[in-house]
Amino acid sequence: MAGYYAETLFQLARRGRERRPASGGLERVGIFPVTQQTRDRLVAGFDDKHLDFRIVVDLDQAGGGQAVTLTTVIRRHNRLGRTYLALIMPFHRAIIRSTLTTCQRRAVRSE
C-alpha cells in the first residue's frame, strides 16, 4: 500500500509528468485531479458532500538540493465528514509516514 502512495507522491513531486486527462478537462495525478499548478507548487484534490480534500506539494530548490513539502488540507462539511475523518486519521498518519519513508529511500537510491 505504501508503494502506491509513494508512487503517487513521486508523480506529484515530479509535477505530474505522467499525468493523464481526467473528467471535466482537468489533469490527474494518481487518483487526484490537479486544481492548480505553478513552477514550485501543485495542488490536487476534490470536493465532496461530506468533505473537501486538497494535497499541496511544494518544491523548494535551495542550496543545490531539493526539498519537497507535502501538506493535506481537509474541510469537513457535516457529521459524516467528521466521522469519516475520525475513523481514517490513524490510518492516514501511518500511510503518510510510511510513504514519506519510502520516498526518502527512493530519492537516496536515485542520487
Side-chain angles (χ1 to χ4, degrees):
M1 182 69 104
Y4 169 77
Y5 288 105
E7 183 57 35
T8 299
L9 181 56
F10 267 118
Q11 287 182 22
L12 288 166
R14 287 190 302 252
R15 297 297 188 251
R17 281 183 237 151
E18 301 169 22
R19 284 182 296 180
R20 61 188 188 279
S23 61
L26 295 176
E27 294 183 15
R28 190 175 286 274
V29 178
I31 62 171
F32 306 111
V34 175
T35 60
Q36 297 176 355
Q37 182 175 355
T38 67
R39 185 174 163 266
D40 298 322
R41 173 176 280 182
L42 184 133
V43 180
F46 48 86
D47 297 341
D48 205 341
K49 289 181 182 180
H50 64 289
L51 58 80
D52 298 342
F53 169 79
R54 295 293 182 275
I55 184 169
V56 181
V57 181
D58 288 303
L59 180 64
D60 183 21
Q61 298 190 32
Q66 286 185 341
V68 177
T69 304
L70 172 67
T71 306
T72 56
V73 180
I74 300 167
R75 178 184 293 160
R76 301 164 298 184
H77 294 297
N78 52 36
R79 185 177 297 153
L80 176 60
R82 289 186 293 278
T83 302
Y84 173 81
L85 198 56
L87 291 172
I88 202 70
M89 193 54 72
F91 301 102
H92 175 74
R93 287 185 179 119
I95 289 169
I96 294 299
R97 283 187 190 115
S98 177
T99 298
L100 291 174
T101 299
T102 301
C103 288
Q104 183 180 23
R105 287 183 190 142
R106 284 177 142 187
V108 168
R109 276 187 275 161
S110 68
E111 290 181 349

